[in-house]
Amino acid sequence: MHLENFGSYKADNRLVYFDINDFDEAALAPLTWDVIRLATSILVAAPTLGLPKDEAKILCQTFLESYRSALATGKSYWVERDNTTGMVHYLLDSLRHRQRCDFLDRYTVLKEKKRHLMIDGKKALPITPKQRKKIIEWMNFFAEKQSDKKFFQVLDVAKRVAGTGSLGVDRYLLLVHGRGGINGNYLLDLKQSLPSSLVPHVNVPQPQWKTDAERTVTLQRRMQAVSMAFLQSVKIGKQSYVLRALLPTEDRVTLDLTLNSLKEFQALITVMAGLVASAHLRSSGRDGSAIADDLIAFSKKRKWSKQLLTIANDSAMQVEKDWITYCTAYDDGIFAC
């Protein structure tokens, strides 16, 4: 859980929402871990955002108090264009003007009136013939079970690069037939699921998931207001993957204090806090998690918020030390191939 785990997306009901959008590490664990991690990310990101330390601490306090207040209501909520303001409203409102053809042009090139993925070495990398064959054969098998088989006809495949956390993970960008025509094609993301790094540190029994992709998708569907379009868990050979659509409406709020005031940042953090609380409430009483009544009772205890702020500050300092250690090792050639 960190600042960039929030963004916009088109859901399977065709409406656009702003919500938590990354559940790779989801597990049955203390809810305070999410709160600490997000507060820590604010402190770590502060220099990049142009935030003085005192203002970063104000944002952390805003997040903790807003989270506590939202949890106390016992009621989850959702964020879409018509019920929000500020930076999130600006993002969601701007998405109305995005066109599918422009989005496709960012990832593809036209050759003989057909789209092909743009292998630019940044967002997309070439794959081996063996990898291509594996993905296409699996997609053909997958398509046979769908009501619209032609929609999933593969036109091109590439390795996808997206996010630091995905480095080293088997991930593919698929161009499929979609609705037909050069502007009706769809892009799909196929990402390998790995075990949550949190589980070894949790002393409570975890739900028995068939695969890590099932864990990720099930908890995402459970905790988001409405699920992303095409979201599903699949298995290719012995590996499990999360399959979902890539759409023009997928984006993040621009975090930059040169563009927005501290007050606007506080409003954004308040929205994020409400979404975290809502996700916790939606997943309450499921697979061994605490019931909503327990979460509400917890929210009414004020001492823990001060304790979490201290832990977040200590965690941020530890992250900085770890970063220095990593950079030193990198400069010394420890990671050289």
Side-chain angles (χ1 to χ4, degrees):
M1 180 69 65
H2 54 79
L3 286 173
E4 292 193 346
N5 282 159
F6 298 81
S8 62
Y9 64 90
K10 179 173 282 189
D12 52 19
N13 63 0
R14 302 191 64 79
L15 295 179
V16 177
Y17 294 87
F18 182 81
D19 207 340
I20 303 170
N21 61 9
D22 190 334
F23 294 83
D24 291 347
E25 300 288 354
L28 181 60
L31 55 79
T32 50
W33 288 14
D34 281 339
V35 181
I36 291 169
R37 291 180 74 188
L38 199 143
T40 300
S41 77
I42 294 173
L43 296 171
V44 171
T48 303
L49 300 177
L51 273 172
K53 285 187 178 180
D54 58 336
E55 293 186 357
K57 289 182 178 180
I58 290 173
L59 287 183
C60 287
Q61 291 169 342
T62 297
F63 172 72
L64 289 169
E65 185 58 30
S66 298
Y67 170 81
R68 190 194 64 76
S69 297
L71 200 64
T73 68
K75 186 174 183 179
S76 61
Y77 83 114
W78 63 93
V79 176
E80 56 180 285
R81 182 170 57 87
D82 292 340
N83 72 346
T84 191
T85 59
M87 298 164 72
V88 177
H89 179 80
Y90 177 80
L91 169 65
L92 297 181
D93 193 54
S94 69
L95 298 176
R96 294 188 300 166
H97 307 295
R98 295 189 182 180
Q99 302 296 318
R100 174 179 297 282
C101 57
D102 295 331
F103 179 70
L104 286 168
D105 287 343
R106 287 170 50 194
Y107 290 89
T108 65
V109 292
L110 287 174
K111 296 179 181 178
E112 299 179 355
K113 297 183 179 180
K114 292 184 179 179
R115 288 192 182 273
H116 299 268
L117 291 173
M118 186 188 305
I119 308 300
D120 58 3
K122 296 179 180 179
K123 295 179 181 178
L125 303 173
I127 62 173
T128 66
K130 184 178 180 180
Q131 290 171 326
R132 181 182 294 274
K133 181 181 178 183
K134 178 184 75 171
I135 297 302
I136 292 178
E137 285 182 350
W138 177 81
M139 281 298 293
N140 289 339
F141 171 78
F142 175 81
E144 284 299 316
K145 298 181 179 181
Q146 309 306 311
S147 57
D148 186 354
K149 299 179 179 61
K150 195 170 184 179
F151 184 99
F152 294 96
Q153 177 187 340
V154 180
L155 303 180
D156 204 358
V157 189
K159 277 201 167 186
R160 186 176 183 221
V161 179
T164 306
S166 295
L167 294 177
V169 175
D170 208 16
R171 192 169 191 175
Y172 300 97
L173 178 63
L174 284 73
L175 177 68
V176 297
H177 180 269
R179 306 300 181 194
I182 60 174
N183 292 331
N185 299 153
Y186 268 66
L187 292 170
L188 302 179
D189 177 75
L190 184 66
K191 181 182 178 182
Q192 179 187 9
S193 289
L194 299 176
S196 170
S197 63
L198 301 181
V199 171
H201 307 284
V202 183
N203 59 4
V204 296
Q206 295 295 304
Q208 296 301 302
W209 308 109
K210 293 179 181 177
T211 66
D212 281 298
E214 181 194 48
R215 168 184 58 80
T216 302
V217 169
T218 300
L219 294 177
Q220 182 162 349
R221 286 176 175 165
R222 187 177 295 175
M223 299 178 82
Q224 284 182 326
V226 187
S227 299
M228 284 182 169
F230 295 97
L231 180 68
Q232 52 197 296
S233 62
V234 300
K235 196 170 183 181
I236 305 177
K238 295 181 179 180
Q239 298 291 339
S240 67
Y241 295 79
V242 173
L243 179 68
R244 66 180 183 86
L246 286 179
L247 298 169
T249 49
E250 190 173 325
D251 208 343
R252 293 190 178 102
V253 172
T254 300
L255 301 175
D256 189 342
L257 261 186
T258 63
L259 302 175
N260 301 99
S261 65
L262 176 63
K263 187 176 181 180
E264 289 174 311
F265 260 78
Q266 285 183 286
L268 172 64
I269 292 298
T270 298
V271 171
M272 291 179 172
L275 291 174
V276 175
S278 294
H280 288 164
L281 287 166
R282 290 191 191 100
S283 62
S284 63
R286 307 287 296 276
D287 291 315
S289 63
I291 63 173
D293 285 347
D294 289 339
L295 300 188
I296 295 170
F298 173 72
S299 71
K300 294 178 180 178
K301 299 175 182 179
R302 291 184 172 273
K303 184 181 295 185
W304 61 264
S305 60
K306 292 182 179 180
Q307 294 172 332
L308 293 194
L309 188 58
T310 299
I311 295 172
N313 189 62
D314 292 342
S315 298
M317 289 191 291
Q318 185 62 53
V319 170
E320 294 290 346
K321 291 178 182 178
D322 292 344
W323 173 243
I324 293 172
T325 300
Y326 168 81
C327 290
T328 301
Y330 184 89
D331 292 340
D332 289 344
I334 300 298
F335 303 110
C337 295

